[in-house]
């Protein structure tokens, strides 16, 4: 909509210039060649023929440059028009210098504030796409400052500026400021007669609230957004489905997998009903459902869905699309968890190559790809290949200023675990402590990741000779996992087993036996309900039973004593 409004403004201006050049009264009007070309440019743009419109815009700019004697609005409009076409086609490297030149020219004459704001906004948008985030934020902030003083409160342009700047702030994890801008935009929209895009602003506000750590309020706001969008657009409208999908993403981030799956399956069902099973949007929804299935342990179902999704996504979007790269990564991770490392490696290597090809060597998506491949080698015990990849990923996140979020926490944890396996305990402990503080600040102490990371720290502390501290940290890990998952969860049994082994190793046999028996009690109860577990959960649980039982037996002086104590 933004590009369409800009096109209308420029077209009217150019037509007025073309018709304004006339000879003496009674003679035929003299049409400016550039203005005539500009009229053709806008006709092509209105038809959606962006490639042809771009070529005509180049022609217009060449004419304007040739005729230029001083900075004027005509040259600015020509630069802006071509830059806008290039931006809409994703040719950001070509668009940026055009908007930069237009902005410089605007400083040489008495330009209208609205036009200055438009160019600043366009330049900031392109810089965001080029990952020049600091420059992008500065230009968007200046565009918004001008717009607030020059445009009426309900202006669509003002709302656009608020929205884009908030998006940049969210990318930089400045969630408090982003939340304030979305709230401002929502308030402005609600003053307008028909409340246009109210659901969009509610959905964006909900995402910002969730990123700011207020999960409960975020979900309340998401439900309001879904309700408004369903009422005003319909339940199967793509914008309604996007809001539902974003709510599912937040639930997934907080480990609420069952609820996240319910939302994601709702989106999938609505898309299939509205668009048919072969629509590209259905493939995207299938990929999202598969991601949640994997997280909750339904590996076979996730693999089946992803193997069906991958060719659909490639056929619809091509391999140079984020959805295809995401599907590659998801299937690779499922195969990794199932132990098919060779197949997983092929997918992760391809995903990383596509990320580098699309984004260049230095981008957060490339860092994520490096972490994914490093984690695969880590899972295989190939620490020589894992460590440099994880180190490169960590440094790239830091160089780009991306030192928050789950992906940064993942690379910290992965590299910390690799360093622990290699005996570099100081480095490992430093990385894991950074991880736990990040998880504490972003997800709170009631999240399973907090408990997991504490367990990793305990292992390093004990390995480094800090026995009492390590044993105390194990207890904190168990408390955190119980708070997040309940007393009878398999992860709690595993944590108690690790604690029992540590106690046994350091001479506390009776305490170790008590802890192991608590783990056994959990596994005994769970063995009665195996029918409710996924294949992955069943396999992992049986391994856990063996581990817990073996640990319990070790707590006795003689195996026959353990046999006498066995009551199952």
């Amino acid at each position: 909509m933004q590009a369409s409004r800009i096109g209308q403004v420029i077209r009217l201006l150019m037509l007025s210039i073309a018709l304004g050049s006339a000879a003496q009264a009674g003679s035929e009007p003299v049409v400016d060649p550039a203005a005539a070309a500009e009229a053709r440019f806008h006709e092509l743009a209105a038809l959606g023929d962006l490639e042809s419109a771009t070529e005509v815009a180049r022609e217009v700019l060449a004419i304007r440059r040739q005729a230029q004697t001083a900075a004027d609005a005509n040259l600015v409009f020509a630069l802006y028009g071509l830059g806008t076409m290039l931006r809409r086609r994703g040719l950001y490297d070509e668009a940026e210098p055009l908007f930069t030149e237009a902005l410089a020219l605007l400083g040489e004459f008495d330009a209208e504030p609205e036009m200055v704001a438009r160019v600043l906004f366009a330049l900031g948008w392109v810089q965001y796409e080029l990952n020049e985030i600091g420059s992008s934020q500065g230009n968007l902030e200046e565009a918004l400052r001008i717009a607030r003083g020059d445009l009426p409160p309900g202006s669509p342009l003002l709302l656009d500026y608020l929205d884009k700047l908030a998006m940049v702030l969210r990318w930089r994890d400045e969630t408090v400021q982003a939340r304030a801008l979305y709230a401002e935009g929502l308030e402005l929209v609600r003053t307008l007669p028909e409340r246009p895009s109210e659901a969009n602003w509610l959905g964006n506000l909900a995402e910002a609230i969730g990123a700011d750590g207020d999960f409960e309020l975020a979900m309340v706001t998401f439900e309001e957004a879904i309700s408004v969008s369903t009422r005003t657009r319909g339940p199967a409208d793509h914008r309604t489905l996007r809001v539902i999908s974003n709510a599912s993403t937040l639930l997934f981030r907080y480990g609420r997998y069952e609820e996240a799956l319910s939302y994601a399956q709702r989106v999938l069902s609505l898309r299939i009903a509205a668009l048919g099973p072969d629509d590209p949007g259905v493939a995207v929804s299938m990929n999202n459902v598969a991601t949640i299935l994997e997280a909750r342990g339904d590996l076979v179902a996730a693999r089946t869905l992803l193997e069906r999704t991958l060719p659909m996504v490639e056929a619809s979007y091509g391999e140079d699309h984020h959805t295809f790269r995401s599907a590659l990564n998801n299937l690779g991770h499922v195969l990794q968890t199932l132990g098919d490392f060779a197949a997983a490696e092929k997918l992760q290597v391809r995903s990383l190559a596509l990320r580098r090809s699309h984004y260049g060597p230095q981008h957060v998506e490339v860092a994520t790809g490096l972490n994914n491949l490093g984690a695969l080698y880590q899972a295989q015990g190939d620490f020589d290949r894992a460590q440099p990849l994880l180190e490169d990923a960590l440094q790239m996140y830091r160089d780009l200023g991306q030192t928050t979020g789950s992906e940064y926490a993942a690379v910290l944890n992965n590299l910390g675990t690799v360093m622990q396996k290699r005996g570099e305990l100081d480095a490992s402990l430093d990385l894991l402590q950074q991880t736990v503080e990040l998880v504490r600040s972003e997800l709170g102490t009631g999240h399973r990741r907090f408990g997991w990371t504490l367990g990793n720290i305990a292992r390093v502390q004990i390995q480094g000779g800090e026995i009492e501290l390590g044993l105390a940290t194990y207890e904190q890990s168990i408390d955190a996992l119980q708070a997040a998952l309940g007393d009878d969860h398999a992860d709690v049994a595993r944590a108690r087993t690790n604690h029992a082994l540590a106690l046994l190793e350091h001479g506390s046999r009776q305490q170790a036996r008590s802890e192991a028996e608590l783990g056994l009690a959990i596994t005994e109860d769970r063995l009665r309900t195996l029918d409710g577990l996924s294949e992955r959960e069943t396999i992992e649980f049986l391994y856990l039973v063996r581990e817990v039982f073996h640990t319990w037996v070790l707590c006795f002086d003689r195996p026959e004593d353990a046999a006498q104590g066995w009551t199952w």
Side-chain angles (χ1 to χ4, degrees):
M1 291 183 66
Q2 168 70 6
S4 147
R5 286 195 297 270
I6 292 170
Q8 292 169 6
V9 170
I10 297 176
R11 185 176 186 184
L12 290 171
L13 286 167
M14 293 307 114
L15 287 174
S16 69
I17 292 169
L19 297 174
S21 300
Q24 297 291 327
S27 64
E28 293 296 322
V30 179
V31 178
D32 180 349
E38 281 159 347
R40 191 166 73 256
F41 154 64
H42 288 293
E43 289 172 4
L44 290 167
L47 292 171
D49 187 353
L50 301 186
E51 188 172 347
S52 298
T54 301
E55 294 311 306
V56 176
R58 293 188 196 277
E59 179 186 331
V60 172
L61 180 57
I63 296 171
R64 290 300 186 198
R65 285 196 190 282
Q66 189 174 14
Q68 181 195 14
T69 57
D72 64 14
N74 288 332
L75 182 56
V76 171
F77 286 131
L79 289 162
Y80 182 78
L82 177 57
T84 299
M85 286 299 100
L86 293 168
R87 177 187 61 75
R88 291 177 65 186
R89 293 175 61 193
L91 302 173
Y92 305 117
D93 285 319
E94 292 184 61
E96 184 182 24
L98 297 172
F99 289 132
T100 301
E101 183 181 352
L103 187 61
L105 289 172
L106 286 169
E108 297 181 19
F109 63 94
D110 188 19
E112 290 291 328
E114 181 178 332
M115 191 60 206
V116 176
R118 285 178 183 273
V119 175
L120 282 164
F121 175 72
L123 179 57
W125 186 333
V126 166
Q127 288 168 331
Y128 170 77
E129 298 293 348
L130 291 171
N131 208 35
E132 299 168 7
I133 304 301
S135 299
S136 171
Q137 182 175 340
N139 285 318
L140 291 172
E141 285 174 342
E142 180 62 12
L144 180 58
R145 185 193 66 78
I146 295 171
R148 279 174 168 154
D150 194 62
L151 298 175
S155 167
L157 287 176
L158 178 57
L159 292 172
D160 284 345
Y161 297 174
L162 285 166
D163 182 54
K164 195 67 177 182
L165 178 56
M167 186 172 70
V168 171
L169 291 168
R170 279 176 55 198
W171 193 95
R172 302 195 76 173
D173 291 309
E174 297 179 20
T175 54
V176 174
Q177 298 94 316
R179 182 173 173 176
L181 291 178
Y182 284 131
E184 180 183 349
L186 178 62
E187 185 178 349
L188 290 175
V189 163
R190 284 175 166 169
T191 65
L192 301 177
E194 296 181 5
R195 295 190 172 191
S197 302
E198 180 184 9
N200 288 353
W201 285 94
L202 278 166
N204 289 336
L205 178 59
E207 288 186 66
I209 293 171
D212 200 28
D214 193 340
F215 171 77
E216 298 299 335
L217 179 58
M219 287 307 302
V220 169
T221 309
F222 265 128
E223 287 298 339
E224 185 179 1
I226 293 168
S227 175
V228 170
S229 191
T230 300
R231 185 181 71 249
T232 58
R233 299 161 170 168
D237 184 272
H238 68 95
R239 293 162 294 184
T240 303
L241 298 181
R242 184 170 62 246
V243 177
I244 300 172
S245 182
N246 290 340
S248 174
T249 299
L250 181 67
L251 287 161
F252 178 82
R253 177 170 173 255
Y254 276 84
R256 308 277 283 267
Y257 298 134
E258 295 302 323
E259 295 165 89
L261 183 62
S262 174
Y263 278 74
Q265 288 176 329
R266 176 179 169 188
V267 172
L268 178 59
S269 298
L270 287 167
R271 277 199 168 128
I272 291 174
L275 305 172
D278 299 322
D279 186 83
V282 170
V284 173
S285 295
M286 288 168 63
N287 182 55
N288 295 340
V289 169
T291 301
I292 302 169
L293 288 171
E294 179 202 354
R296 69 192 289 267
D298 293 331
L299 289 187
V300 173
R303 178 177 184 171
T304 301
L305 202 54
L306 286 167
E307 287 176 338
R308 180 183 167 195
T309 301
L310 196 62
M312 290 175 62
V313 171
E314 186 171 16
S316 299
Y317 296 105
E319 68 172 16
D320 190 27
H321 193 276
H322 67 88
T323 303
F324 181 69
R325 293 190 295 272
S326 172
L328 272 178
N329 173 65
N330 292 342
L331 180 55
H333 196 266
V334 169
L335 293 170
Q336 172 186 325
T337 309
L338 287 168
D340 191 349
F341 295 123
E345 182 178 4
K346 289 179 181 178
L347 296 177
Q348 296 293 14
V349 167
R350 185 181 179 193
S351 176
L352 177 57
L354 290 173
R355 290 168 195 258
R356 282 174 166 155
S357 174
H358 183 82
Y359 294 107
Q362 190 83 355
H363 193 276
V364 289
E365 287 291 329
V366 175
T368 300
L370 289 166
N371 180 51
N372 293 337
L373 186 57
L376 171 63
Y377 293 140
Q378 174 192 343
Q380 297 177 68
D382 189 346
F383 303 127
D384 286 338
R385 286 203 286 177
Q387 183 174 337
L389 291 168
L390 295 171
E391 287 174 339
D392 286 350
L394 181 62
Q395 189 59 51
M396 195 174 296
Y397 279 126
R398 287 172 173 171
D399 290 345
L400 294 168
Q402 293 297 291
T403 54
T404 57
S406 59
E407 292 180 344
Y408 182 68
V411 74
L412 284 171
N413 183 72
N414 290 339
L415 184 55
T417 303
V418 167
M419 302 305 272
Q420 182 253 330
K421 295 291 186 182
R422 306 197 78 162
E424 299 183 32
L425 301 184
D426 288 342
S428 173
L429 190 58
D430 177 59
L431 290 163
L432 293 173
Q433 285 174 336
Q434 290 181 58
T435 307
V436 81
E437 288 307 314
L438 184 57
V439 172
R440 188 200 307 271
S441 66
E442 295 201 349
L443 299 176
T445 58
H447 196 279
R448 64 168 67 185
R449 289 184 187 172
F450 183 74
W452 290 341
T453 310
L454 283 174
N456 292 338
I457 289 173
R459 193 157 34 247
V460 176
Q461 289 169 335
I462 289 174
Q463 188 176 342
E466 298 181 85
I467 310 304
E468 294 303 319
L469 180 60
L471 293 174
T473 305
Y474 264 129
E475 291 176 359
Q476 294 173 23
S477 169
I478 293 167
D479 289 343
L481 288 169
Q482 285 179 314
L485 304 170
D487 294 345
D488 60 349
H489 194 275
D491 283 357
V492 176
R494 183 175 290 105
R496 289 195 179 281
T497 301
N498 292 336
H499 188 207
L501 285 170
L503 288 165
L504 184 62
E505 182 179 354
H506 296 286
S508 302
R509 186 178 293 273
Q510 186 56 48
Q511 285 180 275
R513 186 190 303 178
S514 298
E515 191 74 310
E517 286 174 351
L518 289 171
L520 271 178
I522 295 171
T523 55
E524 180 181 6
D525 289 341
R526 297 272 299 201
L527 274 171
R528 298 189 178 97
T529 59
L530 281 180
D531 289 344
L533 299 182
S534 67
E535 179 182 7
R536 174 189 177 184
E537 287 175 321
T538 301
I539 293 170
E540 288 187 347
F541 182 70
L542 291 175
Y543 275 114
L544 176 62
V545 169
R546 184 180 69 177
E547 182 182 345
V548 173
F549 182 72
H550 178 67
T551 302
W552 180 70
V553 170
L554 290 175
C555 293
F556 290 85
D557 293 322
R558 299 179 305 165
E560 53 267 32
D561 293 337
Q564 291 175 5
W566 183 251
T567 58
W568 289 7

